[in-house]
């Protein structure tokens, strides 16, 4: 009977310690990460896709390719069309040079007749004819320059249109190169090489697991104890009381109340409405998506909000 009393005291102390640990829990939830579903942006046969589940991908790294042959040929055709329009642009200076020379000769002839008329060596009609010849050549020169300018503008517009279409095809070609939008781990793969990809078809899902988020739920009475930016302690829950503590930071508090999710236990079971909270935690490789976790306030070891 003397050994029973010490054993009873030890058991009571262990139960008391567990009770204190439970009271330190401010909120509970599950861990999640920023997930990105990468979809095909072009139609075509998937030539290769290296995005196996569990693989770590670097941001902007190419992980797949959709057949580009037809788009490449289209880009070459548009480039040739643009060059064709460029070669058809007129050389205005060369094409009007002959008319300019004729006009210069006519102006010299007019000046000569003007001098002769002043000296009385020529009649007025010869000067008038020279004036008319100058006016006609000037109109011809203006008409030629206008026509050639309009032709050049039209060809330039055609060149610009062909270049825009070529750039559009180049953009589509770039989208055939499947790249990781961010650094992360592949969670799921939805397509394999040889399959036909269509625009919008999911190819794989990526998540940045370097930073995990504990999505927990708090009651209205607990809201006054937390704010965005504050530091908290987050504990992973492996079950059977096993876990690991991590420093965390509150990054988001919902502005809208919602009913308590059935899969999320709360310390205050009487509350029907709760607010979602996200806590950022740097992952050391042990935190997994969907794992349960607990949040504790660093400056408040006991959750007074859950006491009556």
């Amino acid at each position: 009977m003397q050994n029973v009393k010490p054993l009873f005291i030890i058991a009571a102390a262990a139960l008391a310690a567990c009770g204190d640990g439970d009271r330190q829990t401010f909120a509970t939830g599950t861990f999640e990460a920023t997930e990105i579903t990468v979809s095909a942006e072009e139609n075509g046969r998937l030539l290769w896709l290296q995005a196996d589940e569990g693989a770590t991908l670097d941001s902007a790294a190419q992980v797949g390719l959709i057949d580009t042959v037809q788009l490449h040929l289209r880009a070459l055709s548009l480039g040739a069309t643009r060059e064709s329009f460029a070669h058809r642009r007129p050389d205005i200076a060369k094409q009007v040079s002959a008319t300019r020379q004729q006009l210069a000769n006519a102006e010299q002839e007019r000046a000569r007749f003007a001098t002769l008329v002043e000296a009385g060596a020529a009649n007025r009609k010869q000067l008038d004819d020279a004036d008319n010849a100058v006016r006609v050549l000037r109109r011809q020169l203006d008409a030629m320059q206008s026509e050639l300018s309009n032709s050049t503008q039209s060809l330039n517009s055609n060149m610009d249109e062909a270049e825009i279409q070529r750039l559009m095809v180049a953009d589509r070609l770039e989208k055939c190169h499947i790249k990781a939008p961010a650094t992360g781990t592949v969670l799921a793969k939805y397509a394999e090489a040889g399959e036909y990809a269509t625009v919008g078809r999911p190819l794989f899902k990526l998540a940045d697991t370097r930073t995990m988020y504990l999505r927990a739920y708090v009651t209205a009475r607990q809201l006054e104890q937390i704010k965005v930016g504050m530091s908290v302690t987050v504990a992973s829950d492996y079950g059977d009381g096993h876990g690991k503590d991590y420093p965390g930071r509150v990054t988001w508090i919902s502005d809208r109340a919602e009913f308590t999710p059935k899969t999320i236990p709360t310390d205050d079971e009487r509350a029907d409405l709760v607010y979602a909270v996200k806590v950022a935690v740097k992952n050391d490789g042990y935190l997994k998506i969907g794992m349960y976790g607990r949040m504790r306030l660093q400056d408040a070891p006991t959750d007074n909000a859950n006491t009556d």
Side-chain angles (χ1 to χ4, degrees):
M1 294 297 294
Q2 292 180 352
N3 294 331
V4 174
K5 187 174 181 180
L7 292 174
F8 176 77
I9 294 174
I10 294 173
L15 291 174
C18 292
D20 291 341
D22 291 339
R23 286 196 300 272
Q24 289 178 358
T25 299
F26 185 76
T28 57
T30 56
F31 287 99
E32 60 183 32
T34 302
E35 300 181 3
I36 304 173
T37 299
V38 179
S39 301
E41 298 183 80
E42 274 298 324
N43 299 323
R45 188 166 60 90
L46 192 60
L47 299 180
W48 58 277
L49 180 62
Q50 296 177 347
D52 297 329
E53 295 180 358
T56 300
L57 306 180
D58 294 328
S59 178
Q62 184 174 345
V63 296
L65 179 66
I66 296 174
D67 187 10
T68 61
V69 173
Q70 294 300 319
L71 289 176
H72 181 68
L73 293 176
R74 176 63 176 162
L76 292 178
S77 175
L78 289 170
T81 300
R82 183 184 183 280
E83 290 300 318
S84 175
F85 287 131
H87 291 313
R88 289 163 55 186
R89 285 189 303 179
D91 188 336
I92 297 178
K94 288 184 178 181
Q95 294 198 25
V96 301
S97 60
T99 304
R100 285 186 182 278
Q101 185 61 46
Q102 292 177 2
L103 177 60
N105 294 338
E107 288 176 342
Q108 291 179 357
E109 189 71 9
R110 177 186 176 280
R112 187 173 68 84
F113 278 116
T115 302
L116 292 175
V117 168
E118 289 179 0
N123 56 42
R124 186 70 186 180
K125 183 178 183 306
Q126 290 176 308
L127 179 59
D128 292 339
D129 292 340
D131 285 336
N132 289 333
V134 170
R135 283 194 294 269
V136 169
L137 288 173
R138 284 177 177 174
R139 290 172 182 172
Q140 289 179 353
L141 180 61
D142 290 340
M144 289 181 63
Q145 288 179 325
S146 177
E147 182 179 358
L148 292 172
S149 177
N150 291 337
S151 177
T152 300
Q153 290 179 1
S154 177
L155 290 170
N156 286 340
S157 297
N158 291 334
M159 288 175 58
D160 291 341
E161 182 180 358
E163 178 63 12
I164 291 172
Q165 292 182 8
R166 190 191 67 80
L167 292 175
M168 292 173 62
V169 173
D171 179 67
R172 294 179 60 187
L173 277 170
E174 180 63 23
K175 291 178 179 178
C176 289
H177 297 264
I178 304 166
K179 298 180 180 180
T183 299
T185 302
V186 178
L187 301 181
K189 186 178 181 182
Y190 305 121
E192 296 291 342
E195 297 181 359
Y196 190 83
T198 57
V199 175
R201 177 187 174 182
L203 301 177
F204 63 93
K205 181 184 291 185
L206 183 75
D208 185 358
T209 56
R210 295 174 301 177
T211 300
M212 302 288 287
Y213 296 90
L214 177 68
R215 187 182 185 93
Y217 294 86
V218 300
T219 64
R221 287 187 296 173
Q222 294 174 298
L223 281 177
E224 63 181 0
Q225 301 181 55
I226 60 173
K227 63 181 180 179
V228 174
M230 73 179 296
S231 297
V232 297
T233 298
V234 174
S236 58
D237 188 353
Y238 299 121
D240 296 330
H242 297 285
K244 186 177 180 181
D245 288 348
Y246 299 86
R249 183 174 59 86
V250 178
T251 59
W252 173 76
I253 301 175
S254 176
D255 294 326
R256 179 178 299 180
E258 57 185 288
F259 287 103
T260 307
K262 295 181 180 180
T263 58
I264 304 298
T266 59
D267 292 335
D268 191 350
E269 296 179 352
R270 297 169 301 171
D272 292 329
L273 293 177
V274 292
Y275 295 84
V277 176
K278 280 189 176 183
V279 182
V281 180
K282 187 173 181 59
N283 190 5
D284 59 356
Y286 292 100
L287 298 178
K288 306 298 181 182
I289 297 174
M291 178 183 293
Y292 282 96
R294 301 185 302 275
M295 179 181 73
R296 300 195 304 269
L297 302 185
Q298 294 181 352
D299 58 348
T302 302
D303 183 7
N304 297 324
N306 290 332
T307 59
D308 294 333

